[in-house]
Amino acid sequence: MKEMTATAEKPRIIPNPSFLHEVEAASGEKVSTCYLCQKCSSGCPVTFAMDILPHQIIEMIQIGLKDEVLQSSTIWVCSDCQTCTTRCPNDIDVAKIMDHLRQIAITSASKLGEKRVPSFHSAFLTSIKSRGRIHELGMLLQYKRKSGEVFQDLRLGWELFKRGKIRLLPARVRKTREIKGLFKKVGRMT
Amino acid sequence: MVELALPEIESLARSRAKIGAVMVVGGGISGIQASLDLANSGFKVYLVDEAPAIGGKMAQLDKTFPTNDCSMCILSPKLIECRRNPNIEIITKALVDEVRGGAGNFSVTLLKKPKYVDEKKCVGCGECARFCVVKIPDPFNEGLSTAKCIHVPFAQAVPAASVVDPEHCLFLIRRECKACVPVCKNKAIDFNQQEERVEIGVGAIILSPGYERFDPRLKGEYGYGRMKNVITSLEFERMLNSSGPDRGELLRPSDKKPPARIAWIQCVGSRDLTVGNPYCSSVCCMNAIKQVMLAKEHHEGLGAAIFHNDIRAFGKGFEQYYEMAQSLPSVRFVRSMVSSVKEVPQTKNLTLSYSQNEGKVVEEEFDLVVLSVGLMPSRSATELAEKLGFELNPYRFCSTRTFRPGETSRPGIYVSGAFQGPKDIPESVMTAGSAVSLSAQLLSSERGTLVQEKEYLAERDVAGEEPRVGVFVCRCGTNIGRVVDVPGVAAYSETIDGVVHTEENLYSCSIDTASHICEVIKEKRLNRVVVAACTPRTHELVFQNSLREAGLNPYLFEMANIREHCSWVHAREREKASGKAEDLVRMAVTKARLLQPLPQLSSPVTRAGLIIGGGISGMVSTLTLAEQGFEVYLVEKAENLGGTARRIRYTLGGDDVQAYLEDLITRIDQHPLIHTYTSAEIIKVSGSVGNFSTSVRLEPTGEVVEIKHGIIIIASGGQEYKPQEYYYQEDPRVLTLLELEQRIADGDPKVTGSHNVVFIQCVGSRDSERPYCSRVCCSHSLKCALKLKEINPGMNIYVLYRDLRSYGFMEDYYRKAREKGVNFIRYEPEHKPEVEITEAGALQVVVTDLILGRRLVIAADILTLAAATIPAGDNKKLSRLFKVPQNRDGFFLEAHMKLRPVDFASDGIFMCGLAHSPKLIEESISQAQAAATRAATILSKPEIEAAGTIGYVDWDKCIGCKICQSLCPFEAIELKETEQGVKAQIIPASCKSCGLCSVRCPVRAITMGYFSDEEISAQIAALAVS
């Protein structure tokens, strides 16, 4: 958030409600009822890894800073623990909003603020889609290819392999066609 | 008990005659005030409380905002007044079970729970408690300390009788013990008492059952109940108090060490949809600010952090109080709500994390966390609603209508205090006045039918007696006792000339001590009494009445203030303080020895009222008095009645203000007892309470009428500030709120067809010139924003605010506005919004979004300024004419911020509406009715009592020089032609005892009663002799 302190240099913003309407329509949540008490941010366990705090995301949606929201790391760092949702005095499902922001980001953002998390999600789902079960080795290789972080966590991987946690050959469920059907029905994440 | 016997009620019920008695249900400050005003204006009162003693929540508070008055010290005189009033019957531990009949003639069945103590026999000595073996959590101290199972609820309790807790009493649960029974000297303990049903006939019912606090266990994340050092605001209040668990030492529960870092968490159970309390509890912000100040008094170096979302300091004097707290060292107001509290297992300290807009979440450790718990309607009151069939609002408070704030949906049943909605003490007092006025209107034909005069013993003639002085030294719990050596001072007092009796009291002001003083006077034939305690400002009358009850002239009494003047200011010099206390007592005794009886003067009352100002407040006061049968003169300077309300089209709730105004005006025009003067100007006022005379000049004729009246109500109103900023009156697109409302109501397409509308709040309020909050602008802006959204849902609306102060149930409208997409952007006074006109002529507002730290540019087709509410222009003139004070903001100043919110310090003059401070229409109506109620306590009596402490002229000395007359600010001196020549004479009812005449009389012919030269000189001289 270092860039936020340099207020003066930032261009002036003209507020625009269209992104608010988009998020409200997608999520079914009344984002505008937030009175900015900041409880969501105060209780969030993963703010240390976020570039923008959750309550600021909510304010940005209201002001219409669509690109900044969709390119933030925050929406990907959110681990959907729902502490914010549980404690919001205005009964806003903040975690749900984050989920919808991720979906909007994937379909429309020019660039993502955090590549690894979506890459991981994608590798995970690809593995499920093809066999109905996770094949750790295949998923890891795909994630490494997508994220480009080839040499990271090798030692950890070796330790897991030694303990038989990473199998060489994949397992699969019997009716993979049904799994594919499910994916088709949901119609996203290829 | 002297309730009407059953056959009598039945015959009354049959005859459907109205009954001149009122039942007040709930004995908190609102119920107490209602009872006193009713009894003092000719109605019999039954004051019913569920608790064993009256006093309500106010009795548990340590101090009150914004004056830091000791809560009990200002409440206890009222408790005693209730007890001593022969027309108030206090019935405690009782519930309303059934109500039959209708307005004017109800038959109420009460369920009286057994106390197992005969109230008539018990003197509250507490001996039973000494022998009781069962300890229970003391409810008065919120369970933070223990009490015995049989005990007097608190030292100043009324009735001052013990009560048994049936759930813990060994005898009642398993027939063991009874240790208390034989030790009671008066044989007052009676385990045979049974639940009793009592039927009482009354003409009206006032419900003032107060509130309950939100149970913070329902917000588990804050750890209340699991973590010892997380407490509620009411518990903290008890901890601060000198009769609290640690006798006024501020110590945290886990280790009884003084906390150095305290956090307050606001809105616990308020503004929270998830617990079903979306409303704002209205009082918690100010209460927390007060607690911060008090905690700082206990430990100067203490660090305090208040976690909040909007500080709602909207009442009179609140904003300045808030500013004072902000300026204290190590006090932080943090605008960020805490999500949870975590306990450090070893230290029992608490860590809170909170987010900052710079993008960080920080963790901080505290020693104590205070949860500012919200207000909820009392459970028994909501049950009562079901029984009696009146409506509740969605949050189970009593449902009322804007223009009828004191009425429940059932005729003849009225409501006051926090059951109407969360409110603070002055508003509870005002709404009590409102409920009383409605009862009095209903029952005005029965006024005086069921009341009796208070009878005092014939006054004993003490002339010629040697002074026999009794000295009563008060410990004031630990307030005095902790610093001053009270037994030493009492022992010393015995050595003073003329003293024949001394004793120490835990609380001299408790009802049992007050009656005890009475007994001692009779027993020891005392003829002078000195109480060494607190200030005569609050307690003189209490003790003077003890003298009267004992048959002594009340002016044979003197107070030595060994609290404010001694123990409080010399807390760290105990020995010197005790020495000073002895000096003060000696001085008081010396003066007391010389005191002479003074006459209680009385004069007849002109039973008519003068109301100044024909706005809503003035008109409501007028009608309220007229409908009680008093003649009223209503004076309005403008051509028409209506005042500021003429510019208000609808209320936040959508009521039609103009229709209401028309109705008021019609009723005023048609009422035979009301004389209205418009285009009228007050030019001269004379006289005093009971007998004023006012000259009014009528335009355009210039004719002057003289009005005789007994009381005055100033309802001079207020006005909207004309902004000097933001292109107001330079650009037609810039409007004030009242102007916007007119345009919306008139359907101006320039407004309703706008694409973007911007509101700027606090224009002319909360700044260095006008440091107060105008209270109404936030809800006024919400009203206009909602109306605009209703007409044009696609409109973009931006409200730039500092703290959104939609207190009470108005929070619903704030949420509704957000739901409709109104955008609220906060600004700080250091970075006010800037308004620009572009080269193309477009109006735009530039403001920093504090959440994001970014500059926003908002195009504004219409810019609305929420301009301050300022005092009426002629307040200064009225202040001079009526000799009543204004506060520094130019509004009128009441006699006491808490308990006398509509009274001026000068008797017989009252205020209401915007003249008092900015307020909403329903609040003005309540206050106007309250002012009428206070006025009726004077107008309903044939005579008014005046103090005897006036100037007395010795005609043998007077040379008729007229100096005194020229100096007297109250026109209380007239010159009389006598056989000895021209002599000055003081008009008792007008004299305010200021003493100007006495000090300037060249021949020393004027003596001030109770403050004679001889008395004062002897008192001063006594300081030198030790």
Side-chain angles (χ1 to χ4, degrees), chain B residues 767-814:
Chain B
D767 59 17
S768 52
E769 198 181 332
R770 271 172 298 274
Y772 61 91
C773 162
S774 291
R775 185 178 179 125
V776 298
C777 344
C778 280
S779 53
H780 201 163
S781 292
L782 289 176
K783 173 176 81 180
C784 291
L786 281 166
K787 204 76 193 175
L788 287 170
K789 275 284 187 187
E790 185 188 308
I791 298 168
N792 179 357
M795 186 186 286
N796 296 321
I797 300 178
Y798 298 88
V799 178
L800 315 184
Y801 72 103
R802 289 177 55 190
D803 291 276
L804 212 296
R805 292 180 170 172
S806 51
Y807 54 94
F809 303 126
M810 288 188 294
E811 183 74 10
D812 283 349
Y813 295 96
Y814 179 25

Side-chain angles (χ1 to χ4, degrees), chain A residues 13 32-33 35 59 68 89, chain B residues 271 273 337 818 849 854 857:
Chain A
I13 299 158
S32 63
T33 57
Y35 58 36
E59 175 69 355
E68 290 180 44
Chain B
R271 301 183 71 189
L273 271 178
M337 291 308 277
R818 297 196 311 269
D849 184 321
R854 305 274 277 271
V857 185

Side-chain angles (χ1 to χ4, degrees), chain A residues 69-93:
Chain A
V69 169
L70 296 182
Q71 291 170 17
S72 71
S73 76
T74 298
I75 59 175
W76 296 105
V77 171
C78 166
S79 60
D80 204 23
C81 75
Q82 310 209 1
T83 304
C84 48
T85 299
T86 314
R87 294 189 184 148
C88 174
N90 286 306
D91 222 0
I92 300 171
D93 191 340

Side-chain angles (χ1 to χ4, degrees), chain A residues 1 4-8 10-17 20-21 24 30 32-44 47 50-53 55-57 59-60 62-63 65 68 83 85-91, chain B residues 219 221-222 270-274 308-309 335-340 353-361 796 798 801 811 814-815 818-825 834 836 844 846 848-849 851-858:
Chain A
M1 293 294 293
M4 282 220 176
T5 49
T7 309
K10 280 269 175 183
R12 292 167 158 195
I13 299 158
I14 297 169
N16 180 345
L20 172 72
H21 297 151
E24 288 192 338
K30 262 294 182 195
S32 63
T33 57
C34 169
Y35 58 36
L36 291 163
C37 72
Q38 313 189 12
K39 212 171 173 179
C40 45
S41 296
S42 298
C44 177
T47 47
M50 289 176 169
D51 55 355
I52 298 169
L53 292 181
H55 77 276
Q56 292 172 319
I57 292 282
E59 175 69 355
M60 286 173 144
Q62 300 198 53
I63 297 298
L65 297 174
E68 290 180 44
T83 304
T85 299
T86 314
R87 294 189 184 148
C88 174
N90 286 306
D91 222 0
Chain B
K219 300 292 290 177
E221 63 264 36
Y222 293 136
S270 306
R271 301 183 71 189
D272 189 338
L273 271 178
T274 62
H308 70 92
N309 179 31
R335 191 181 289 267
S336 179
M337 291 308 277
V338 174
S339 177
S340 66
S353 48
Y354 57 95
S355 59
Q356 295 176 318
N357 287 328
E358 294 73 45
K360 271 189 304 195
V361 175
N796 296 321
Y798 298 88
Y801 72 103
E811 183 74 10
Y814 179 25
R815 192 177 52 259
R818 297 196 311 269
E819 266 167 20
K820 302 265 176 223
V822 176
N823 208 322
F824 292 84
I825 295 162
E834 291 152 31
E836 300 171 348
Q844 61 184 32
V846 183
T848 302
D849 184 321
I851 300 287
L852 304 176
R854 305 274 277 271
R855 301 279 276 171
L856 307 182
V857 185
I858 308 166

Side-chain angles (χ1 to χ4, degrees), chain B residues 147-161:
Chain B
K148 291 298 184 63
C149 185
I150 181 165
H151 70 290
V152 180
F154 49 94
Q156 298 89 338
V158 167

Side-chain angles (χ1 to χ4, degrees), chain B residues 518-756:
Chain B
C518 214
E519 293 309 310
V520 176
I521 292 171
K522 288 191 236 170
E523 201 181 299
K524 300 222 166 166
R525 287 196 67 78
L526 301 180
N527 55 22
R528 304 287 188 285
V529 174
V530 170
V531 174
C534 53
T535 163
R537 285 188 58 149
T538 53
H539 282 73
E540 186 176 59
L541 202 61
V542 170
F543 299 116
Q544 284 186 330
N545 280 332
S546 287
L547 268 72
R548 286 183 84 179
E549 289 191 347
L552 269 191
N553 183 282
Y555 299 104
L556 300 173
F557 168 76
E558 175 67 3
M559 273 186 102
N561 189 344
I562 59 168
R563 192 179 72 179
E564 280 87 336
H565 295 173
C566 190
S567 71
W568 278 358
V569 284
H570 305 302
R572 287 180 184 85
E573 305 157 287
R574 300 169 67 155
E575 235 166 74
K576 283 187 186 168
S578 299
K580 179 172 174 181
E582 290 179 358
D583 290 342
L584 290 168
V585 172
R586 186 176 60 251
M587 291 168 74
V589 171
T590 309
K591 180 184 172 190
R593 282 200 302 258
L594 298 169
L595 289 172
Q596 293 301 316
L598 297 175
Q600 285 289 71
L601 306 160
S602 60
S603 52
V605 171
T606 309
R607 298 175 98 165
L610 171 71
I611 316 290
I612 296 155
I616 284 188
S617 301
M619 287 196 285
V620 170
S621 283
T622 300
L623 279 165
T624 306
L625 282 175
E627 287 181 7
Q628 291 183 45
F630 302 112
E631 192 146 42
V632 190
Y633 299 89
L634 173 60
V635 176
E636 165 59 48
K637 68 178 173 194
E639 260 175 76
N640 298 306
L641 297 176
T644 308
R646 284 217 171 266
R647 302 175 66 191
I648 302 174
R649 308 296 277 263
Y650 19 67
T651 65
L652 187 53
D655 308 271
D656 183 345
V657 177
Q658 295 311 308
Y660 174 64
L661 267 188
E662 285 318 309
D663 175 55
L664 282 180
I665 294 169
T666 314
R667 279 160 63 203
I668 285 199
D669 284 346
Q670 291 172 350
H671 205 291
L673 288 173
I674 297 173
H675 314 277
T676 308
Y677 300 105
T678 48
S679 305
E681 194 193 354
I682 310 259
I683 49 174
K684 190 168 177 293
V685 186
S686 62
S688 65
V689 55
N691 293 290
F692 290 102
S693 173
T694 300
S695 305
V696 177
R697 187 173 46 225
L698 306 176
E699 297 302 341
T701 58
E703 182 200 349
V704 174
V705 286
E706 198 176 324
I707 301 168
K708 301 274 184 203
H709 52 103
I711 61 93
I712 300 160
I713 295 176
I714 298 181
S716 51
Q719 52 188 326
E720 192 181 47
Y721 162 67
K722 288 247 171 282
Q724 309 291 309
E725 53 264 65
Y726 298 130
Y727 296 102
Y728 180 70
Q729 286 185 325
E730 288 173 40
D731 190 298
R733 292 165 293 188
V734 183
L735 306 171
T736 65
L737 267 175
L738 284 176
E739 289 163 355
L740 177 76
E741 183 167 342
Q742 298 273 353
R743 301 272 198 102
I744 297 173
D746 296 342
D748 179 349
K750 274 195 201 127
V751 170
T752 55
S754 289
H755 189 61
N756 275 11

Side-chain angles (χ1 to χ4, degrees), chain B residues 353-403:
Chain B
S353 48
Y354 57 95
S355 59
Q356 295 176 318
N357 287 328
E358 294 73 45
K360 271 189 304 195
V361 175
V362 293
E363 202 170 73
E364 195 175 334
E365 199 170 292
F366 291 92
D367 303 320
L368 187 69
V369 170
V370 182
L371 305 180
S372 290
V373 289
L375 274 54
M376 313 236 322
S378 100
R379 210 168 299 127
S380 63
T382 56
E383 281 167 19
L384 195 62
E386 278 151 24
K387 250 179 220 170
L388 306 194
F390 61 86
E391 282 165 29
L392 297 177
N393 78 6
Y395 313 120
R396 304 182 68 72
F397 285 88
C398 187
S399 162
T400 57
R401 285 175 291 166
T402 311
F403 302 135

